[in-house]
Amino acid sequence: MNPAQSIRIRDLLATQQPTAQLVTAQGWVRTKRDAKHLCFFEVNDGSSLSNIQVVFENPEDAIAAELARVQTGASVWVTGTLEPSPAKGQNVEIHGTAVEVIGEAPADSYPLQKKRHSFEYLREIAHLRPRTNTFGAVARVRNRLSFAIHRFFQERDFFYVHTPIITASDAEGAGELFRVTTLPADNPPIAEDGSVDFRRDFFGKPAFLTVSGQLNAEIYACALERVYTFGPTFRAENSNTTRHLAEFWMIEPEVAFCDIDGNMDLAEDFLKFVLRDLLSGCAEDMAFFDTRIQTGLIETLQKVVESPFRRITYTEAVEALTSSGRTFEFPVSWGSDLQSEHEKFLTEEVYGGPVIVTGYPKEIKAFYMKLNDDGKTVRGMDVLVPRLGEIIGGSEREADLATLERRIDESGLHREDYWWYLDLRRYGSVPHSGFGLGFERLIQYATGMQNIRDVIPFPRAVKSAEF
Ligand code: 4AD
Ligand code: MG
């Protein structure tokens, strides 16, 4: 069993002119059908959406006995000759000469039956769902997009930096942190003022899982000029929605000597690059999503890749919403945060495609965003897309020390917690910008999958951390 020597089913299926060569395939049985003197089954090894069909004709007794153990879900090894297939939809099939069941799957208890299962049910069996068409395709798309993301940045001279997962600072200042502690939950040490004494905790102070690598990425951008992170982030947001996870992956580029316009250009080029790569590199899986999950998906993505994104200000967005005559669940006026219903309306009905919104009121955005000369708005930017709303959040960063100190105070945060961040403005400060792309939101957008829990292998969300 040497994985480097076995041929994957995707490659067998791509054989244009089979010459009855002897091949071996391995994988999991998807379906089986017995007929007189004939046994058909399909094997999938995850290398592609398609299965390879295996046919045994008039098997001798020993093989027939082994074929009886071949059931949906079993892992098998088959040897045979690769032949042209008369069946439609496949070029080749294996005419079996030997078969071995590696691991049986009893038909009466195997949870993946031939019928279509709901995504809700499949979430309960996340250890088996990658063996379905949809989840195999999601896994391959996720892999392809990861690779394309690295390629985009590497080809543009960005350095990949690893930012910490455990941190003592709240990068977003929104207080949605998971605490990391080794103190006993039932009997923690108490300080004189009656509060838990975190000085006696592992790190000697309160520590948390990171909500964003941005502040650390800024440190490296202010030394290496162009950097990006790609790692897990954590938010204890109590949002039980189809677009929020407690653990999600984020890609965060950060660029020195770059203003908000350069940041928008980067975000747009980046999204177009990875989507274009996906359309060509995962054509079979994308065709599956187009027919089974979201009709017209490929055409829509192609249009996105080819047309410029609309760029509007927050003020224009509010005007478009208030003059639309539409009644929203959350009424809009200048100063209010845009909700996902507003973001969807703007992208789906007003502009018909992705939109980049800039110039948000400072009160609804994070403390680090550069304040505009009007003293009211900041150089934040959100990239909004149809079906989802926000997919990217970013900004030009406040590079002026005094202004940043004031913004930290105004946001109810403490300067001492951000002393090193402030030092970047004290020594060789430079205009710089960056953004964060929620990786699962990108996959949702690219596949049409409705629920964010179905685009990450093991979703962590409110009241959900199985597997
Ligand atoms: O807009 P956010 O909060 O921005 C930041 O974290 C910045 N520090 C990024 C930066 O400028 N470097 O989050 C960025 C993106 C959102 O646009 C969204 O796509 C995704 O992260 N996101 C989530 N995805 C899944 N589940 C959640 N709970 C998410 N919260 C944010
Ligand atoms: Mg945001």
Side-chain angles (χ1 to χ4, degrees):
M1 288 205 203
N2 179 346
Q5 280 168 7
S6 65
I7 302 180
R8 305 220 63 193
I9 287 171
R10 181 194 52 227
D11 299 327
L12 291 178
L13 291 169
T15 311
Q16 288 307 317
Q17 268 148 358
T19 53
Q21 66 267 43
L22 203 63
V23 296
T24 296
Q26 58 197 15
W28 292 265
V29 175
R30 284 292 176 87
T31 60
K32 185 189 177 202
R33 186 161 54 86
D34 285 301
K36 214 177 182 186
H37 312 303
L38 285 173
C39 173
F40 297 92
F41 57 91
E42 295 202 10
V43 182
N44 187 285
D45 68 354
S47 58
S48 72
L49 188 73
S50 304
N51 312 321
I52 194 153
Q53 173 160 284
V54 184
V55 189
F56 279 84
E57 197 175 348
N58 290 320
E60 57 187 66
D61 289 353
I63 291 181
E66 192 67 1
L67 284 172
R69 299 168 66 220
V70 172
Q71 306 248 27
T72 302
S75 53
V76 294
W77 225 351
V78 288
T79 300
T81 55
L82 196 65
E83 310 271 355
S85 174
K88 74 168 190 312
Q90 60 193 24
N91 197 31
V92 295
E93 62 186 26
I94 295 175
H95 290 186
T97 52
V99 59
E100 193 181 323
V101 173
I102 315 286
E104 279 186 292
D108 51 356
S109 63
Y110 186 56
L112 287 176
Q113 294 304 322
K114 212 179 152 189
K115 68 177 178 121
R116 251 178 124 167
H117 296 291
S118 72
F119 291 148
E120 287 75 18
Y121 170 71
L122 292 173
R123 242 170 262 150
E124 292 167 14
I125 49 165
H127 57 308
L128 295 171
R129 69 178 183 169
R131 294 191 199 174
T132 64
N133 284 341
T134 305
F135 289 88
V138 167
R140 285 183 295 273
V141 164
R142 203 177 155 102
N143 170 69
R144 182 83 198 190
L145 284 171
S146 304
F147 200 61
I149 286 163
H150 282 296
R151 206 151 63 77
F152 176 85
F153 289 120
Q154 294 293 329
E155 285 173 2
R156 284 159 187 76
D157 261 335
F158 282 65
F159 297 101
Y160 179 30
V161 295
H162 300 102
T163 51
I165 287 174
I166 299 176
T167 173
S169 47
D170 182 351
E172 289 300 299
E176 294 164 335
L177 301 152
F178 285 104
R179 187 181 292 286
V180 175
T181 179
T182 52
L183 294 178
D186 50 357
N187 187 22
I190 302 297
E192 298 87 69
D193 66 358
S195 64
V196 173
D197 189 359
F198 285 106
R199 286 170 309 183
R200 292 173 60 189
D201 201 351
F202 189 94
F203 297 105
K205 58 170 156 180
F208 309 91
L209 295 178
T210 187
V211 293
S212 155
Q214 177 195 323
L215 307 193
N216 299 87
E218 283 187 53
I219 294 176
Y220 272 76
C222 293
L224 279 71
E225 197 183 302
R226 292 176 216 180
V227 301
Y228 70 104
T229 72
F230 187 168
T233 49
F234 308 86
R235 297 202 183 172
E237 254 171 311
N238 204 357
S239 313
N240 212 343
T241 77
T242 55
R243 33 172 244 153
H244 288 91
L245 288 166
E247 176 179 304
F248 63 99
W249 287 66
M250 190 153 44
I251 296 97
E252 296 185 273
E254 193 69 35
V255 189
F257 306 99
C258 176
D259 62 13
I260 186 71
D261 293 316
N263 205 24
M264 286 193 274
D265 292 342
L266 182 69
E268 184 170 339
D269 289 349
F270 171 55
L271 281 178
K272 288 178 171 173
F273 178 95
V274 298
L275 291 173
R276 191 180 292 123
D277 178 85
L278 179 67
L279 287 167
S280 64
C282 279
E284 186 190 31
D285 292 317
M286 292 305 290
F288 170 83
F289 288 116
D290 190 304
T291 45
R292 291 301 191 84
I293 303 294
Q294 173 86 41
T295 315
L297 177 72
I298 291 181
E299 201 189 321
T300 308
L301 294 180
Q302 251 147 7
K303 218 176 89 195
V304 167
V305 162
E306 284 155 16
S307 3
F309 291 5
R310 274 304 290 257
R311 298 181 183 189
I312 61 169
T313 62
Y314 167 87
T315 304
E316 286 167 331
V318 170
E319 275 161 15
L321 292 164
T322 48
S323 65
S324 69
R326 173 74 68 106
T327 327
F328 295 104
E329 189 188 339
F330 296 91
V332 191
S333 59
W334 202 96
S336 59
D337 205 357
L338 299 183
Q339 304 293 326
S340 84
E341 58 168 338
H342 309 133
E343 297 172 341
K344 284 186 203 162
F345 183 79
L346 288 169
T347 51
E348 290 167 12
E349 301 192 34
V350 183
Y351 299 107
V355 178
I356 310 183
V357 183
T358 51
Y360 285 86
K362 65 177 185 197
E363 287 77 14
I364 59 172
K365 288 292 182 189
F367 66 94
Y368 52 68
M369 295 192 181
K370 183 174 174 59
L371 191 64
N372 278 319
D373 292 341
D374 62 13
K376 290 196 315 201
T377 59
V378 288
R379 292 194 191 164
M381 70 169 202
D382 279 3
V383 181
L384 316 178
V385 294
R387 283 192 276 116
L388 274 174
E390 181 187 341
I391 189 167
I392 282 180
S395 73
E396 184 173 337
R397 317 305 185 190
E398 185 53 75
D400 177 69
L401 178 64
T403 313
L404 183 58
E405 285 176 333
R406 214 175 55 241
R407 292 284 295 129
I408 287 178
D409 299 345
E410 283 171 9
S411 307
L413 302 168
H414 307 289
R415 292 184 195 189
E416 16 348 324
D417 293 341
Y418 298 92
W419 66 270
W420 45 271
Y421 189 68
L422 290 164
D423 261 8
L424 296 178
R425 280 75 183 162
R426 210 168 262 127
Y427 309 118
S429 187
V430 62
H432 62 286
S433 303
F435 61 82
L437 167 71
F439 189 43
E440 286 72 23
R441 298 238 179 125
L442 172 67
I443 303 169
Q444 276 189 285
Y445 183 56
T447 59
M449 292 293 286
Q450 225 266 318
N451 194 315
I452 197 165
R453 296 172 197 211
D454 298 330
V455 298
I456 186 165
F458 305 105
R460 270 82 183 96
V462 181
K463 300 276 183 288
S464 160
E466 190 70 31
F467 306 100

